[in-house]
Amino acid sequence: MTRTCIKLLCTLLPLAWTSTAAAQPLVEEDLAMAYGDKATVSIATGTQQALRRAPAVATVITAADIAAMGAVNLDEVMETVPGVHVARKGTANTALYVMRGVFDANNPQILMLQNGIPMTLMFLGNKGDVWSGLPLDNVARIEIIRGPGSALYGADAYAGVINIITRTAADTHGTDIGVRAGSFGTWDTWVQHGGKLGPMDIAAYLRVGDTDGPKETIAADAQTLRDRTSGRPPASLAPGPMNLGRDAVDASLDLGYDKWRFRGGYKLRDKVGLGAGIGSALDPTSWAKSERVTADLSWLDPHIARDWGLGFTASYLHYADTVPTNLLLAPPGAKLGATVFPDGQIGGPNKWERQVRLSAYAIYSGFADHSLRFGAGHDDLNMYKTATYKNYLINQTTGAVTLTGPVADYSVIQPFMLPQRRKVSYAYIQDEWHFSRDWTLTAGVRHDAYSDVGGTTNPRLALVWDASHDITAKLLAGQAFRAPSFNELYGINNPVNKGNPALKPETNSTLEAAFSWQARKDMQVNVNYFRYTMKNAIRAVANTPGSMLTTYANSGEQQGRGFELETVWDVSRSLRVTANYSHQRSTDSATNTDAGYAPRNHLYARGDWRFTGGWQLSPQVNWVADRKRAFGDARADVPNYTSVDLTLRSERNKGHWDFAASIRNLFNATILEPSLAPGTAIPNDLPQAGRSFYLQATYSL
Amino acid sequence: MSPANVIKQQMASLWCAATWRVFASGWIVIMAGWRSVAMLWRPALCCAIGLTLIAAAAALQPGRGIAVIYPDIGEPYRSVFARIIEGIEEQTRSRVPSFAIGANPNMQEIASELRRQDIRVVIALGRNGLKFTSGLERDIGVVAGGVLSIPEADARNISVHSLAPDPGLLFTRLQTFMPAAKRVFVVYDPNQNTWLIRLAREAARARGLELVAHEASDLKTALLIYQDIFAKANPQNDALWLIQDSTTVDETSVLPLVLRETWGRNLVFFSSSVTHVRRGALFSLYPDNVEIGRHLANSALGYLSSGGQGPRGMVSLKAVRLAVNVRTAGHLGINLAGRQNFDLIFPEQ
């Protein structure tokens, strides 16, 4: 495939070059003076609206940024955000967005929103393990808030919030057809349209793609360890490749009429490989499937009456996470305890969720120097069906597994979880008080009442001082919470982790100081310092000291501090440099050791160079360093790495064609993401893709 | 050209457009269908068919007599022209032939295409679009847009819709934010903006404002004038206006000076450039591109209906949107509460 890509690159790029080089870009000084620089004109001609709901340390990634960095998947964008590192979970190589050192194997501390509506699921409290990436062709921008946001967003806005804003008719003019091919047998093709249908704005998007995934080798797995003591021939399939193939379909429809907007979405991930295996033992043949259907209807009138604005949203989500082939927890011939599994230990957890969310808010600005925002809502979060297929039974006391014969339906006899339902009602209020010239205090509080874990109230304060025409200082304090996931509360018959219905939400208190400085007319510098304390952290605790059997409990406490420095510098009209450096130290208070997994030091830099012929070349470098192991893991630190990517793309200078070519991990750096402590299951960590390529062509009708 | 030939050509053009769309739609269905058959062929096919119908609905009949010539330029300015053309087509309720002009356009080919399509008025966008029209036959009318200004002598024979916001609209906004405003200072290069200042004087007088306009033909003079303005301006009643002027509004020397001094003296400063609002100007008016398209289309339709006797000369930009810097407003003690009707708000975070 790599050779094919190189050949395609050699063929297409000269073609593209000649097609655009014939038309040198015309310097339109008038346009620059009327619309301003390119960043401003993008805002002024589109629908980009800045995130101004509350003062925060935030990053906005625009579609232009995404194109420049050559990112085709949300994970690639997140790695460029200050304070964020994308770690990996062994199962399906699922991305874990680690913000400011807050790490969890399931990553439920990040609230994922799409157009302001939560995408998170109830089972693990995350975006879903059969997530398998999000394409970016239909994304207008991504807003990332670092730090707690529960006072406005509620649960899970704990370490940060990611809001993905999809394209509307205003962002897409006409019809675009695109095709992309790359390493690992990756193909994507998509079509999107934006325009009007009578008085209605309409935007539609359909993408179909598949990949075989990188075949990085897992040298040893959990079965390798078991084989050493089994007294039997090795059953482990390691060394062997990770299984990361998948098929994907994404579709969306966006209709806007007057103050109304309807959005519908469909996301299918099929034949999703299980990475290093659901039981940390290689599973080359099984696959999982997820299907997500979303719909939302919103109405917004910012000037419904004098001093009043009003809006409401109703949304629906249906999610099915199924395993049509059942999964290998341990390979054929594995000996677990005293039992040999000739066909392997096989399990098939399936779950279906339905979420209905209603919310409304109002803004009132009738009091001098005050702007009030208040809202309320109700969520009905229903994991309405579960099904369990397997060929074993678990002894809940000892954790021992017994072979029961062929795979059968154990949904009644010994399910992994019964259907569960949660209802949440909430209300919040926020006041932005301009109490003195150049000083603004924003105070907010939100109360959430859960049907299963009680109530929680979370405040937030933000003091903003416009110190001079080019310096702004912010002091932010806030508390956030994360309600336990259904798995943490109600998980049963799990060979390792057992749920605990007595769990309470975990909390996070954060203090941040942020400075923004327009250092020169062409250079912006932002720096912030933060400290946080996590309490009642939900962790899996050994049932007895040294036991492999665990139960979730509110037991952990973690403290962290650090800073993030970022700059954007327009060196010249044809060169822009974007860079950020993040440093953090997070400590597990109980053991006084590093909380583990997250890089202490992280540097990212990118140059966007526009040159003759309407082309842009964007090299980027990403340095990830000083990732300590968590307590109880004796392995050496996770190795540092530096990756370099290179993207070349046209900027629609000629006719209807656009081209892009990208090389990821140009120097084939060895990239390892840490496997979990104690590190006996996957002792050599999770290897990530080496050098890869893609080529892309888009035609605009 | 005989009416029969016109009909034939229109039909041929329609067939070309329809054939192309059928081909493109077929491609979409084939590609999308091929990849999705094994997974989810029904929803994929439905979406593809839906999109095809949408594209078909968007394919309007070609218009008659009007064409658009615009610069072939990269994003994000490309979108500016796309939106203007969208406005033109909305207003004419027809699909208007449009020609993107590169660095070395084939003038003869385009001119013959204009003749073939019986084009009687060209809407020329951007300086290069306008430059192209100078070589057109005299019986083809020209309506220009997407430029700030052109020499007045050149504007005598054509209608030019400038991208410079209308001074009257700017002053009205100023009085909304600053009811006590009495004087507006501006520094301009007479070689670029005499026409605009003439309009501004009338607009100021009509609103009870005094326009204090200083001429400066070089940057050094302009800087001295700005310093003099800062020395004598009264923040209670005076405001500074930066216009789109490459001589007197320099981004590296004038803008930093203006930002620093107006902040320190609490002097209201507004601008004709939206990018200055991002940097700290209180407000600006910036182009509403679709609306500009409608205005240009009205001019072109007027030209056609009047038999080539439409209005001539420079017209300031009246199709505008409002950008506001809330940080600057807060610093100046201007209460924006209850006045949330802004199209763009800075700073972004």
Side-chain angles (χ1 to χ4, degrees):
Chain A
M1 186 64 214
T2 300
R3 283 185 181 175
T4 311
C5 282
I6 293 171
K7 280 180 190 169
L8 271 169
L9 186 75
C10 295
T11 312
L12 274 180
L13 285 187
L15 258 177
W17 185 279
T18 49
S19 72
T20 56
Q24 299 295 320
L26 307 174
V27 180
E28 289 284 344
E29 293 292 341
D30 286 1
L31 297 175
M33 289 176 75
Y35 293 90
D37 53 41
K38 293 204 171 189
T40 309
V41 72
S42 296
I43 297 172
T45 54
T47 54
Q48 291 184 25
Q49 285 298 321
L51 182 71
R52 285 193 58 82
R53 299 180 70 185
V57 176
T59 299
V60 177
I61 307 280
T62 64
D65 293 326
I66 291 168
M69 64 180 71
V72 295
N73 194 315
L74 178 65
D75 304 344
E76 293 158 355
V77 171
M78 291 306 299
E79 184 64 26
T80 71
V81 176
V84 179
H85 172 61
V86 181
R88 296 285 166 176
K89 182 175 181 176
T91 309
N93 212 37
T94 303
L96 308 173
Y97 304 137
V98 182
M99 274 195 202
R100 294 177 164 178
V102 178
F103 180 96
D104 183 280
N106 293 315
N107 204 209
Q109 290 90 356
I110 303 296
L111 176 61
M112 288 279 294
L113 306 170
Q114 184 161 311
N115 300 311
I117 297 166
M119 303 172 78
T120 38
L121 303 166
M122 290 300 100
F123 178 60
L124 293 174
N126 62 5
K127 56 192 181 297
D129 270 0
V130 194
W131 167 257
S132 208
L134 186 80
L136 301 171
D137 309 299
N138 194 39
V139 171
R141 70 181 190 279
I142 303 166
E143 301 167 344
I144 300 115
I145 294 174
R146 285 161 271 156
S150 288
L152 209 51
Y153 298 97
D156 308 335
Y158 184 89
V161 180
I162 301 166
N163 190 15
I164 296 150
I165 311 294
T166 55
R167 291 189 182 203
T168 64
D171 303 303
T172 310
H173 310 295
T175 306
D176 290 345
I177 302 169
V179 62
R180 181 166 50 236
S183 305
F184 320 126
T186 304
W187 282 92
D188 275 306
T189 182
W190 69 94
V191 56
Q192 58 194 150
H193 174 82
K196 278 188 172 289
L197 198 62
M200 187 180 292
D201 294 324
I202 181 166
Y205 168 70
L206 171 67
R207 169 253 192 172
V208 183
D210 64 43
T211 181
D212 299 332
K215 301 285 183 190
E216 299 297 326
T217 301
I218 295 287
D221 63 4
Q223 187 57 38
T224 309
L225 182 68
R226 286 192 288 263
D227 286 344
R228 285 184 198 141
T229 55
S230 68
R232 290 175 47 78
S236 173
L237 300 172
M242 286 209 283
N243 181 11
L244 293 174
R246 57 115 183 91
D247 293 345
V249 176
D250 295 84
S252 73
L253 179 68
D254 186 306
L255 304 174
Y257 176 72
D258 193 26
K259 300 177 175 69
W260 293 89
R261 182 166 296 280
F262 170 82
R263 291 189 182 97
Y266 178 78
K267 182 175 188 259
L268 171 73
R269 294 294 178 268
D270 202 358
K271 297 187 170 54
V272 178
L274 273 300
I278 193 169
S280 297
L282 285 174
D283 179 1
T285 54
S286 308
W287 45 271
K289 175 181 177 182
S290 72
E291 196 171 28
R292 184 188 297 253
V293 178
T294 54
D296 65 85
L297 180 69
S298 60
W299 178 89
L300 170 65
D301 187 346
H303 310 288
I304 193 167
R306 183 181 163 82
D307 300 327
W308 282 95
L310 198 63
F312 82 83
T313 302
S315 69
Y316 173 83
L317 178 151
H318 184 268
Y319 182 76
D321 178 344
T322 54
V323 279
T325 62
N326 291 319
L327 310 174
L328 272 180
L329 305 178
K335 185 181 177 189
L336 304 172
T339 310
V340 175
F341 285 73
D343 299 323
Q345 185 190 14
I346 299 171
N350 301 269
K351 52 242 174 224
W352 290 262
E353 289 193 21
R354 190 163 48 221
Q355 300 183 3
V356 177
R357 297 172 189 264
L358 303 170
S359 66
Y361 74 91
I363 295 172
Y364 179 68
S365 50
F367 300 129
D369 299 324
H370 287 267
S371 179
L372 282 165
R373 179 188 176 100
F374 41 94
H378 179 78
D379 301 340
D380 184 347
L381 313 169
N382 191 358
M383 194 166 80
Y384 66 94
K385 182 179 163 188
T386 59
T388 306
Y389 296 88
K390 57 186 181 180
N391 68 347
Y392 64 93
L393 281 171
I394 303 169
N395 182 319
Q396 280 302 297
T397 311
T398 63
V401 292
T402 312
L403 180 65
T404 54
V407 174
D409 185 351
Y410 282 84
S411 304
V412 176
I413 301 167
Q414 199 179 58
F416 75 100
M417 180 175 285
L418 293 168
Q420 303 291 341
R421 190 171 190 175
R422 169 180 287 169
K423 292 182 179 180
V424 188
S425 297
Y426 59 87
Y428 62 84
I429 184 165
Q430 176 181 282
D431 180 29
E432 191 178 313
W433 178 27
H434 189 68
F435 66 91
S436 172
R437 175 168 289 193
D438 301 329
W439 290 86
T440 304
L441 179 69
T442 302
V445 65
R446 169 166 164 152
H447 180 77
D448 289 69
Y450 280 71
S451 58
D452 53 355
V453 293
T456 172
T457 303
N458 291 275
R460 180 159 173 84
L461 279 175
L463 183 64
V464 179
W465 176 36
D466 296 320
S468 71
H469 73 281
D470 52 9
I471 294 178
T472 299
K474 298 177 189 172
L475 190 62
L476 313 165
Q479 182 172 298
F481 75 102
R482 179 179 78 83
S485 68
F486 283 173
N487 184 50
E488 289 164 337
L489 283 167
Y490 311 118
I492 49 178
N493 302 316
N494 185 305
V496 182
N497 297 325
K498 192 178 171 189
N500 176 3
L503 284 179
K504 296 173 185 169
E506 60 181 8
T507 62
N508 181 2
S509 301
T510 302
L511 188 65
E512 300 166 274
F515 300 90
S516 173
W517 177 35
Q518 185 76 39
R520 297 155 43 114
K521 83 172 184 68
D522 46 20
M523 181 187 276
Q524 174 80 32
V525 178
N526 296 326
V527 62
N528 72 77
Y529 172 82
F530 64 88
R531 324 178 51 105
Y532 70 86
T533 302
M534 291 168 56
K535 286 187 176 167
N536 278 334
I538 299 168
R539 302 237 168 105
V541 177
N543 291 351
T544 55
S547 168
M548 289 294 287
L549 301 179
T550 61
T551 302
Y552 288 108
N554 291 106
S555 71
E557 185 172 319
Q558 180 173 317
Q559 294 187 327
R561 65 184 191 283
F563 68 90
E564 290 140 7
L565 175 66
E566 52 189 315
T567 184
V568 178
W569 180 26
D570 289 303
V571 181
S572 69
R573 289 184 70 163
S574 58
L575 178 62
R576 163 176 281 203
V577 174
T578 307
N580 61 68
Y581 168 70
S582 311
H583 172 82
Q584 65 82 31
R585 282 199 173 208
S586 297
T587 306
D588 185 318
S589 304
T591 58
N592 204 28
T593 57
D594 193 291
Y597 309 112
R600 286 184 173 179
N601 296 294
H602 187 185
L603 178 72
Y604 168 81
R606 187 180 81 241
D608 299 328
W609 176 41
R610 291 188 167 88
F611 56 97
T612 311
W615 287 84
Q616 178 169 305
L617 182 69
S618 300
Q620 64 180 8
V621 60
N622 189 45
W623 176 61
V624 176
D626 300 323
R627 288 173 291 173
K628 305 291 178 189
R629 303 286 181 180
F631 180 74
D633 190 335
R635 292 176 292 172
D637 291 354
V638 186
N640 301 343
Y641 73 85
T642 304
S643 64
V644 176
D645 308 324
L646 200 58
T647 299
L648 175 70
R649 68 184 182 95
S650 62
E651 289 193 292
R652 298 205 177 181
N653 279 318
K654 174 67 178 174
H656 300 275
W657 285 100
D658 247 339
F659 299 95
S662 192
I663 306 175
R664 317 292 297 181
N665 195 359
L666 176 63
F667 300 112
N668 207 21
T670 301
I671 300 175
L672 295 171
E673 292 304 331
S675 56
L676 300 181
T680 48
I682 308 284
N684 302 310
D685 293 319
L686 301 165
Q688 301 302 302
R691 184 187 300 118
S692 63
F693 309 83
Y694 78 73
L695 287 171
Q696 175 178 307
T698 314
Y699 186 81
S700 302
L701 289 176
Chain B
M1 189 177 287
S2 70
N5 282 340
V6 170
I7 292 168
K8 273 183 192 171
Q9 282 170 6
Q10 294 294 333
M11 291 297 291
S13 172
L14 263 174
W15 271 110
C16 278
T19 308
W20 169 237
R21 280 181 169 74
V22 166
F23 169 77
S25 306
W27 190 92
I28 295 165
V29 173
I30 290 165
M31 287 304 287
W34 174 61
R35 307 305 297 177
S36 58
V37 157
M39 293 170 288
L40 195 80
W41 64 273
R42 279 199 180 99
L45 201 61
C46 287
C47 288
I49 290 168
L51 286 166
T52 306
L53 290 174
I54 292 161
L60 302 168
Q61 266 204 327
R64 290 185 183 180
I66 299 174
V68 181
I69 292 177
Y70 66 100
D72 191 0
I73 194 169
E75 290 288 10
Y77 299 124
R78 186 186 180 93
S79 287
V80 170
F81 295 122
R83 301 293 284 179
I84 292 174
I85 293 169
E86 188 183 320
I88 292 170
E89 294 189 336
E90 275 182 25
Q91 193 63 21
T92 57
R93 298 184 180 188
S94 63
R95 190 164 171 272
V96 175
S98 56
F99 303 90
I101 305 294
N104 302 302
N106 187 331
M107 307 279 278
Q108 283 189 331
E109 188 181 314
I110 296 172
S112 71
E113 185 61 23
L114 292 176
R115 269 197 307 276
R116 195 185 69 74
Q117 298 201 30
D118 198 20
I119 297 302
R120 286 186 286 149
V121 58
V122 164
I123 298 175
L125 301 179
R127 199 161 289 276
N128 283 60
L130 187 56
K131 191 172 146 194
F132 173 82
T133 60
S134 60
L136 287 179
E137 291 171 13
R138 283 184 169 268
D139 61 340
I140 295 180
V142 175
V143 174
V147 292
L148 278 176
S149 65
I150 63 171
E152 291 199 59
D154 296 345
R156 276 186 204 132
N157 298 322
I158 56 174
S159 170
V160 181
H161 292 244
S162 169
L163 287 173
D166 182 65
L169 296 177
L170 282 165
F171 296 158
T172 301
R173 281 291 168 191
L174 173 67
Q175 289 177 315
T176 312
F177 289 122
M178 186 187 179
K182 294 275 190 292
R183 286 194 298 181
V184 175
F185 292 93
V186 64
V187 187
Y188 74 101
D189 179 353
N191 294 321
Q192 296 182 40
N193 279 303
T194 297
W195 72 276
L196 186 71
I197 296 303
R198 192 165 54 237
L199 280 179
R201 286 190 201 283
E202 291 168 15
R205 198 177 307 119
R207 288 162 181 78
L209 293 169
E210 180 191 350
L211 184 73
V212 185
H214 297 277
E215 288 186 10
S217 298
D218 59 73
L219 180 59
K220 190 177 172 187
T221 309
L223 279 168
L224 289 172
I225 294 171
Y226 281 116
Q227 279 162 348
D228 185 50
I229 291 171
F230 295 132
K232 67 184 181 194
N234 173 8
Q236 301 300 317
N237 308 111
D238 295 341
L240 176 66
W241 173 29
L242 290 195
I243 58 173
Q244 291 143 330
D245 190 309
S246 58
T247 305
T248 64
V249 183
D250 174 72
E251 299 284 318
T252 52
S253 53
V254 171
L255 188 59
L257 172 75
V258 168
L259 288 167
R260 189 174 61 246
E261 292 297 324
T262 54
W263 182 276
R265 296 168 192 271
N266 298 320
L267 180 66
V268 168
F269 141 54
F270 63 101
S271 174
S272 294
S273 294
V274 65
T275 190
H276 292 168
V277 183
R278 192 174 218 179
R279 298 287 305 278
L282 175 63
F283 75 92
S284 176
L285 298 175
Y286 66 98
D288 179 337
N289 299 316
V290 175
E291 196 60 30
I292 286 176
R294 292 196 189 105
H295 287 201
L296 288 166
N298 279 338
S299 281
L301 291 169
Y303 181 93
L304 287 177
S305 63
S306 66
Q309 301 301 315
R312 304 281 195 272
M314 300 285 294
V315 182
S316 60
L317 177 68
K318 295 190 174 67
V320 291
R321 295 177 163 208
L322 175 61
V324 173
N325 189 311
V326 293
R327 182 176 185 268
T328 303
H331 173 71
L332 294 168
I334 295 171
N335 183 13
L336 296 179
R339 283 190 249 157
Q340 300 277 336
N341 203 10
F342 311 131
D343 297 295
L344 266 184
I345 297 175
F346 292 103
E348 290 104 321
Q349 294 167 23

